Amino acid sequence: MGDIIPETKTELENSSTVYVDETNGSDTTDAGKQDAPYKTVVYALQVHESNIKILIKKSPKDGYTDISGAALKKAKKRVEELSKKAKKAEQQKKSEAEKEMQSLEDEKKKLEDAKLIVLEQNPTLQQATKIKIREAVANRGRRVKVSGWVHRLRTQGKDMKFAILRDGSGYLQCVLTGKLCHTYDALTLSLESTITIYGVISELPQGKTAPDNHELSADYWEVIHKAPGGDDAFTNKLNAEADPSVLYEQRHLVIRGESSSSVLRVRSQIMKAFREYFDSKGFTEVNPPCLVQTQVEGGGTLFDLNYYGEKAYLSQSSQLYLETCLPSLGDVYSCSESYRAERSHTRRHLSEYSHLEAEMAFITFDELLNTIEELVCHTVDRVLSHEPTRDLVYQLVPDFKPPQRPFMRLDYKDAIKYLKEHDIKKEDGTFYEFGEDIPEAPERAMTDKIGCPIFLCRFPVEIKSFYMKRCSKDPRVTESVDMLMPGVGEIVGGSMRISDLDELLAGYKREGINPAPYYWYTDQRKYGTTEHGGFGLGVERFIAWMLHRDTVKECCLYPRFMGRCLP
């Protein structure tokens, strides 16, 4: 096809040549030159609105040729369509901006008008009774006064607003209607604001749902404190996709959530059940010190500190002190914090954890195991017998099943055989041998595969603490036990304690421990020694097992672990 020749000299002078390469051109970075062509004719026409001459290349093997009249006409039509579309979009954008501006003006006026609405209590109404939400069912039909935090908020139409109120004892749906939801406070109310509502609580008709199947119809309400909105709103501080580090940083807000608060409520009932069991068995609760100068579970996990110029530690366990109480108080227990400086980030480790510990005199190893089993089963049964807590447990774990007695009893040497028979190996591909400690991963693998509580018993002397008694039938091993639960692993550790003075002194020597600071502990073998034993239960691990939590960090108020000591 030949070149298109301008009809006049003026057209020739004013025209410019634009190049379009449909294969290798670019409509974003190039300038329509022969060495930098456009990709489309449409774009070329949009850029150059004046008279232009277009040379086009259809494929790499072709050279540049004049654009055909039909192709040029089609391209110009498309440019017109795009131009009209752009103008329409611009008009629509302008219209939406005007509408948004009007909406903001209307909202501003609405808020200003709302400031003029003043609520007053009706003096002819019944005097309101101040209640907690847990008392709501018992106060249906009466006018009540309830204070709490706005947990959820929903507006329905122009004249109705629903607020789920939370006061720590429960949740209550409250309904604001008419003038009550037109005030400035109502229009600007935000989640986590604290309010007081007056009204009558009524049971909901069939087909409607709310906490405890009732709601409060408000006749008056007031704001105690309004939580911030906008960028600083509660929902912007936390959300379901937040990184775990953010959730730990904002733990003080996380515990307001239904799941986290439910875990803490169940924890409270578990602690009560523990104490009820020990009280029913005649144990005495004691409170050993947290500042100590001796170790219990090895020096490598001690938190040390300067105690008035002397070296001291945070307690790893209250066990040694509990043993000293046996001659005066009989069987004893404590529940206090223990501290382990383990540089570990596993799902079951905390640097500070609640430690339920007990010591008993004049018992056998079998009696020790029976006590642990009885404590666990009693606690679960007691928690499930408390209806509000049972409901929380099954909300968190719909398929929860209490453990069945008796628990499986498995000797350490048989566990080593089990690992070999089921091809559970070390990281280097070799099998575990007698005398080696079984780490968390293979222990968990075995426990989860067996699928029931296990008493793993009689560990070798070399991998257990200095105070554990040797078995009379096999002095290679100790009368020791770890109670393992599916999904968590070890929850309880216990043993019979050395009762013989010489055996204890040999234990100090074997572990390289200076016996001098332990004089008070050694004296228990001088002044009326007897067979005795005890155990320690990790409260957070117990809760993680019972409530199927992913980590023990979810099972305490403010978790402390490596790298985290705030808030």
Side-chain angles (χ1 to χ4, degrees):
M1 182 183 294
D3 292 345
I4 299 175
I5 303 174
E7 296 180 358
T8 67
K9 182 178 179 182
T10 302
E11 289 179 354
L12 180 61
E13 292 172 347
N14 292 338
S15 67
S16 61
T17 302
V18 173
Y19 292 84
V20 175
D21 184 340
E22 293 184 344
T23 303
N24 297 315
S26 172
D27 286 344
T28 57
T29 59
D30 291 338
K33 304 297 184 181
Q34 186 169 2
D35 58 348
Y38 296 128
K39 187 174 182 65
T40 66
V41 175
V42 169
Y43 186 75
L45 291 172
Q46 287 176 320
V47 174
H48 303 274
E49 296 180 355
S50 58
N51 184 33
I52 59 172
K53 175 183 177 181
I54 298 176
L55 296 180
I56 187 168
K57 181 193 288 189
K58 294 287 187 179
S59 67
K61 64 182 180 180
D62 296 332
Y64 284 102
T65 60
D66 295 328
I67 187 170
S68 69
L72 183 61
K73 183 177 179 181
K74 183 179 179 181
K76 286 181 177 180
K77 183 178 179 181
R78 179 57 180 160
V79 169
E80 289 177 6
E81 291 174 352
L82 291 174
S83 178
K84 290 178 181 179
K85 187 176 181 180
K87 288 178 181 178
K88 186 177 180 181
E90 183 64 28
Q91 289 173 350
Q92 186 175 352
K93 184 178 179 181
K94 183 179 179 181
S95 176
E96 288 175 354
E98 290 173 351
K99 286 181 181 179
E100 185 177 355
M101 182 69 72
Q102 186 60 49
S103 177
L104 291 174
E105 289 296 325
D106 293 344
E107 184 67 23
K108 184 177 180 181
K109 185 177 185 306
K110 185 179 179 181
L111 291 174
E112 289 301 318
D113 292 344
K115 291 178 181 179
L116 302 176
I117 301 175
V118 179
L119 299 180
E120 293 181 351
Q121 289 204 60
N122 187 340
T124 66
L125 294 177
Q126 176 190 22
Q127 181 72 24
T129 302
K130 183 179 179 180
I131 67 166
K132 291 286 188 181
I133 292 176
R134 64 170 175 264
E135 303 166 319
V137 173
N139 283 278
R140 286 177 179 174
R142 301 174 61 187
R143 187 168 184 261
V144 298
K145 171 186 176 182
V146 186
S147 299
W149 289 261
V150 178
H151 188 66
R152 290 199 187 94
L153 198 57
R154 175 170 61 91
T155 299
Q156 184 170 307
K158 294 182 179 180
D159 294 307
M160 186 174 290
K161 188 181 287 287
F162 290 89
I164 301 292
L165 204 62
R166 180 190 79 240
D167 72 348
S169 73
Y171 300 88
L172 177 63
Q173 178 168 290
C174 305
V175 186
L176 308 178
T177 57
K179 186 178 179 180
L180 297 179
C181 58
H182 294 158
T183 66
Y184 180 80
D185 282 338
L187 297 179
T188 58
L189 190 61
S190 54
L191 294 182
E192 296 305 318
S193 295
T194 43
I195 63 175
T196 297
I197 300 185
Y198 297 74
V200 177
I201 299 172
S202 303
E203 187 173 1
L204 288 173
Q206 191 172 4
K208 294 189 176 182
T209 59
D212 289 328
N213 198 41
H214 60 205
E215 67 183 14
L216 182 148
S217 297
D219 57 62
Y220 178 77
W221 72 287
E222 56 192 3
V223 173
I224 300 171
H225 179 268
K226 194 174 293 180
D231 293 340
D232 207 26
F234 185 80
T235 49
N236 289 332
K237 300 282 283 186
L238 293 172
N239 58 68
E241 291 76 34
D243 185 87
S245 63
V246 174
L247 298 181
Y248 293 133
E249 196 75 26
Q250 303 296 327
R251 180 69 178 167
H252 60 296
L253 301 180
V254 169
I255 59 177
R256 299 188 183 198
E258 292 176 35
S259 178
S260 295
S261 61
S262 293
V263 170
L264 294 176
R265 289 183 191 284
V266 176
R267 177 189 170 110
S268 175
Q269 288 299 320
I270 287 173
M271 298 304 296
K272 288 181 183 178
F274 284 148
R275 287 190 164 90
E276 286 169 355
Y277 172 78
F278 285 121
D279 289 346
S280 72
K281 297 298 180 180
F283 282 67
T284 299
E285 183 175 7
V286 295
N287 303 103
C290 284
L291 292 171
V292 300
Q293 290 188 309
T294 52
Q295 68 182 48
V296 181
E297 299 297 332
T301 62
L302 285 168
F303 282 108
D304 60 357
L305 64 147
N306 186 323
Y307 186 74
Y308 304 111
E310 293 185 85
K311 177 167 278 193
Y313 311 101
L314 294 177
S315 174
Q316 297 170 314
S317 166
S318 297
Q319 175 206 318
L320 305 189
Y321 294 96
L322 291 178
E323 288 187 54
T324 68
C325 297
L326 294 176
S328 56
L329 301 175
D331 297 343
V332 291
Y333 78 98
S334 71
C335 190
S336 54
E337 302 308 290
S338 285
Y339 303 87
R340 304 281 173 92
E342 293 181 279
R343 304 184 70 82
S344 175
H345 270 302
T346 74
R347 297 192 305 162
R348 65 178 194 171
H349 282 97
L350 290 167
S351 299
E352 176 188 51
Y353 67 97
S354 296
H355 206 177
L356 181 73
E357 298 180 88
E359 291 295 321
M360 296 159 283
F362 306 106
I363 64 166
T364 64
F365 185 50
D366 282 337
E367 288 171 330
L368 172 64
L369 299 183
N370 291 339
T371 298
I372 298 171
E373 183 178 292
E374 193 175 63
L375 167 68
V376 170
C377 293
H378 166 93
T379 298
V380 172
D381 291 344
R382 185 69 180 175
V383 168
L384 295 180
S385 71
H386 184 254
E387 186 175 349
T389 308
R390 181 178 67 244
D391 292 343
L392 293 176
V393 170
Y394 284 109
Q395 284 174 23
L396 293 166
V397 191
D399 60 348
F400 177 76
K401 291 180 177 60
Q404 299 298 307
R405 301 178 68 179
F407 292 178
M408 179 180 181
R409 301 188 181 192
L410 179 69
D411 277 356
Y412 163 88
K413 63 180 180 181
D414 295 322
I416 293 293
K417 292 179 183 177
Y418 181 96
L419 296 178
K420 290 181 179 179
E421 290 170 358
H422 291 80
D423 201 34
I424 300 175
K425 301 178 180 179
K426 293 186 282 189
E427 291 184 357
D428 63 6
T430 61
F431 286 109
Y432 291 93
E433 301 295 341
F434 186 93
E436 295 180 323
D437 191 22
I438 302 175
E440 176 187 356
E443 184 181 81
R444 282 276 304 278
M446 177 182 70
T447 307
D448 291 350
K449 194 172 186 67
I450 293 173
C452 68
I454 302 171
F455 280 136
L456 186 56
C457 305
R458 300 178 178 86
F459 292 85
V461 172
E462 290 75 19
I463 62 173
K464 281 300 178 180
S465 298
F466 71 91
Y467 53 76
M468 292 189 179
K469 183 179 179 64
R470 292 175 185 261
C471 288
S472 57
K473 293 182 179 179
D474 184 356
R476 298 179 306 160
V477 298
T478 55
E479 289 190 327
S480 53
V481 60
D482 285 350
M483 191 191 79
L484 312 177
M485 283 293 196
V488 178
E490 181 191 348
I491 289 179
V492 178
S495 75
M496 295 299 289
R497 317 309 191 188
I498 293 174
S499 57
D500 180 76
L501 176 60
D502 291 336
E503 187 179 347
L504 178 61
L505 294 175
Y508 290 142
K509 185 176 182 180
R510 183 185 72 245
E511 298 300 324
I513 296 173
N514 177 11
Y518 293 81
Y519 70 92
W520 50 275
Y521 182 68
T522 307
D523 276 355
Q524 304 307 306
R525 280 73 184 168
K526 291 183 180 179
Y527 301 100
T529 189
T530 183
E531 296 303 311
H532 64 289
F535 61 88
L537 178 150
V539 172
E540 287 80 12
R541 290 188 184 182
F542 184 94
I543 296 168
W545 160 72
M546 188 170 180
L547 300 184
H548 290 196
R549 298 296 92 186
D550 289 334
T551 168
V552 292
K553 298 176 182 68
E554 297 179 45
C555 302
C556 55
L557 188 59
Y558 287 100
R560 296 291 183 254
F561 51 94
M562 188 173 69
R564 170 63 56 190
C565 202
L566 275 175

